[in-house]
Amino acid sequence: MPASPDPRSHFPALASGVAWLDNAAGAQVPRRCIDAISAYLAGGTGNVWQAYPASRAVDAIKVRVREETAAFLNCRPGEVAIGTSSTALAFQLARAFSRMWGAGDEVVISELEHEANASPWRGLERQGVAVRVWRARWPEGRLSLDALAAHALALFLAQLSNLMAGNISIVHGVIGSSRTFMGEESAGVDAVRIAMSRIAAGQSRIALVGGAYNAERWDIVQHLVMGGVLRHGEPTGVWERAGDGGGMELGTIGAFLVLEERRHAEARGAKPFARI
């Protein structure tokens, strides 16, 4: 999107003077997206995977969307799912899991969930799946792990990153803009880079950068087992594994890093551990 002194000028809906505070469904669309959709509709639409020109044009658009989205998320194009809405995609995901689950299985959803991530899983109750609700503590609207201890098969959180940022803000009084990065190791490096750039540019004086990795997810373990790369036996160092077949050893970790201006750190009496 071209640079502009006023980013709001790219969003026609903001000219109304209304404060759009809804969630995803209320996200306003920039002019560039509106123009692209209009140009596509004006040029004629068609079904996918057919031999005529309009269909081939649609196929090319879908391929490009998957490639560009994969580049943005640091994944493969085949891992990108395109749907009409988040709700529709969640229903498809629930239907896929429904083939494996039945009476005796349990799904836990958060009380803070958007309805798009609640209704699809409630639909599994018709085949005997127990759908439990992870209750929040009010009035602060905070989820407690103690309340989750009694539930344990599958946990679906549509907005876990936003939830984490919200809880940190409430408990520790952290204020300011927040961002979520996808892409594991590269995302962590990029988060540090952007935080440093904002501080260097005078846009922020201090930034909190953090992340976590859960190695106990069954889907991750299954993926590595099927790929033949999960290491078994006692943990060893990376270089020590080369002699006996190598393999990956998983570990769960979470960490946060505080980045700030030197003068800001000195003013609050903080002890620096490194300089970037």
Side-chain angles (χ1 to χ4, degrees):
M1 183 177 294
S4 170
D6 181 14
R8 294 170 55 89
S9 64
H10 294 290
F11 296 84
L14 299 184
S16 66
V18 174
W20 303 90
L21 302 179
D22 199 0
N23 206 336
Q28 303 311 307
V29 181
R31 170 62 67 185
R32 189 173 181 180
C33 293
I34 296 173
D35 291 343
I37 294 171
S38 177
Y40 165 72
L41 295 175
T45 63
N47 291 320
V48 296
W49 314 127
Q50 302 299 319
Y52 52 88
S55 178
R56 288 197 293 268
V58 174
D59 296 341
I61 291 174
K62 293 187 68 175
V63 169
R64 189 175 77 248
V65 167
R66 281 197 170 95
E67 290 175 346
E68 293 181 357
T69 303
F72 179 72
L73 298 178
N74 193 26
C75 66
R76 293 186 292 270
E79 296 172 331
V80 176
I82 303 173
T84 55
S85 66
S86 296
T87 304
L89 290 173
F91 270 108
Q92 293 178 20
L93 184 62
R95 281 194 291 269
F97 276 105
S98 70
R99 300 175 184 177
M100 300 183 291
W101 293 346
D105 290 326
E106 182 176 305
V107 171
V108 180
I109 57 177
S110 156
E111 185 179 10
L112 305 181
E113 284 306 318
H114 190 285
E115 189 62 23
N117 194 50
S119 294
W121 305 108
R122 292 195 189 104
L124 299 182
E125 291 178 314
R126 292 191 294 269
Q127 62 191 60
V129 176
V131 179
R132 311 297 186 189
V133 178
W134 183 9
R135 299 295 180 185
R137 290 207 306 259
W138 300 102
E140 64 269 28
R142 185 180 180 189
L143 293 173
S144 168
L145 292 179
D146 293 336
L148 183 63
H151 309 296
L153 176 63
L155 177 66
F156 291 92
L157 295 174
Q159 301 178 44
L160 181 58
S161 56
N162 294 338
L163 181 63
M164 180 183 295
N167 280 338
I168 291 173
S169 299
I170 294 171
V171 175
H172 299 287
V174 178
I175 59 174
S177 61
S178 65
R179 294 188 184 183
T180 300
F181 296 84
M182 306 292 289
E184 299 181 352
E185 293 87 352
S186 61
V189 174
D190 206 32
V192 173
R193 179 189 64 81
I194 290 179
M196 184 183 69
S197 298
R198 288 180 60 91
I199 293 173
Q203 297 173 313
S204 303
R205 291 181 300 168
I206 186 171
L208 180 65
V209 181
Y213 182 81
N214 180 11
E216 298 179 3
R217 287 170 43 193
W218 66 267
D219 57 324
I220 295 295
V221 176
Q222 182 184 49
H223 175 73
L224 297 178
V225 170
M226 293 178 68
V229 295
L230 182 65
R231 181 176 174 82
H232 301 276
E234 293 297 321
T236 57
V238 175
W239 304 116
E240 298 170 359
R241 303 175 207 164
D244 60 355
M248 295 185 64
E249 296 179 0
L250 301 183
T252 297
I253 188 172
F256 279 86
L257 177 67
V258 177
L259 302 179
E260 60 184 314
E261 292 178 332
R262 179 172 181 172
R263 287 178 297 178
H264 187 271
E266 292 174 347
R268 69 185 187 91
K271 177 185 176 182
F273 291 94
R275 176 182 177 184
I276 300 179

